[in-house]
Amino acid sequence: MSRAKDALTLCSWIKPYRLTQESPYYYPCWLSYAVPTCDDEIRMTEGSHMGIFGYQYHMSTSEIIPLDEWTHLCQTWDALSSLRALYINGTKVASGTTPFGRKLISKGSLVLGQEQASVGGGFQIEETYAGELFGTHILSVALSKEEVARIYRAGLCFDVTQSVYSEDVEVSWGDIMGADWYGNVAAEPMECDAWDNLRAFVGQEITDEFIDYLKLHSTPK
């Protein structure tokens, strides 16, 4: 992240192959953002001890993430209200507060699939994520519960970055696919069609956004 942030939405589809807690201190971690003053500035695991600003502000849930199935996870946070929330498949499952005035520190190290115990290092094999990720993105705005639910309903193939202002996209899935990869990591093709994004409009009235989408993706006769 290029500058300090006062809001956040971090979402991803995850498909874990195993849910292993080796000890009370080790959880498979699919996203870690570390800065010099806090190696858990952002930490996302498989349903337990997720959050921002360090372990003492993590959120936990009793919800069970199924193996070998796609699950949608989102974390939102807003500095003005100090409120944060965790969503699984579009439903809020945990919430909390953060220190007033605290912002996300910029220019840290973002790692997918592995916990960091220091900036860009301190890796433990027990904290390695075994599974698949898709559509991971970070926004510099806090989406509402209705917006998070809409993203989930839109389905696996929905490109969130097309439904928000470009300046609010901090990290896109395209950025991640273009980053450096290390270890036992492979890219598998995902069969998505542009029309799959229409699921985001199910149940809504005709809007300007919907009309613009049809114009963009319709095939001229």
Side-chain angles (χ1 to χ4, degrees):
M1 291 186 285
S2 59
R3 60 187 186 279
K5 299 298 178 186
D6 54 13
L8 169 82
T9 296
L10 192 164
C11 299
S12 184
W13 290 90
I14 73 168
K15 186 180 182 181
Y17 299 155
R18 62 173 172 82
L19 296 175
T20 304
Q21 182 181 342
E22 300 291 344
S23 79
Y25 306 103
Y26 295 121
Y27 298 85
C29 182
W30 57 266
L31 184 144
S32 171
Y33 178 70
V35 297
T37 55
C38 182
D39 55 31
D40 280 344
E41 188 76 350
I42 304 176
R43 184 174 188 257
M44 299 295 287
T45 65
E46 297 162 345
S48 183
H49 292 279
M50 288 183 277
I52 55 178
F53 305 149
Y55 186 84
Q56 66 268 36
Y57 299 110
H58 285 176
M59 294 176 287
S60 296
T61 174
S62 60
E63 296 289 327
I64 303 299
I65 304 297
L67 295 178
D68 302 312
E69 294 180 17
W70 287 109
T71 297
H72 190 250
L73 289 179
C74 266
Q75 179 180 187
T76 64
W77 163 76
D78 173 63
L80 184 62
S81 64
S82 299
L83 297 177
R84 60 204 170 103
L86 178 65
Y87 298 83
I88 297 180
N89 289 339
T91 299
K92 184 190 291 188
V93 297
S95 61
T97 59
T98 57
F100 181 76
R102 176 73 151 85
K103 292 187 177 183
L104 283 167
I105 299 173
S106 63
K107 300 180 180 179
S109 171
L110 179 67
V111 173
L112 269 66
Q114 180 68 62
E115 172 77 76
Q116 299 175 80
S118 59
V119 178
F123 302 129
Q124 299 284 339
I125 193 170
E126 297 92 345
E127 297 169 324
T128 301
Y129 172 72
E132 300 177 37
L133 299 172
F134 187 72
T136 308
H137 60 273
I138 301 175
L139 308 178
S140 57
V141 293
L143 297 183
S144 66
K145 63 179 182 180
E146 292 81 11
E147 291 170 318
V148 172
R150 177 190 171 198
I151 292 172
Y152 166 67
R153 291 195 306 268
L156 187 67
C157 293
F158 180 59
D159 183 0
V160 176
T161 62
Q162 293 186 7
S163 65
V164 298
Y165 293 112
S166 58
E167 58 266 30
D168 292 334
V169 179
E170 189 65 31
V171 177
S172 70
W173 183 241
D175 294 331
I176 293 168
M177 293 298 290
D180 295 331
W181 296 7
Y182 302 95
N184 186 19
V185 181
E188 298 290 340
M190 182 69 72
E191 295 183 2
C192 288
D193 187 278
W195 292 100
D196 288 328
N197 286 331
L198 283 174
R199 292 190 181 93
F201 300 98
V202 172
Q204 295 191 46
E205 297 179 357
I206 299 298
T207 62
D208 289 337
E209 183 184 16
F210 179 65
I211 294 172
D212 291 340
Y213 182 86
L214 290 178
K215 286 181 178 179
L216 179 63
H217 294 286
S218 295
T219 303
K221 294 183 178 180

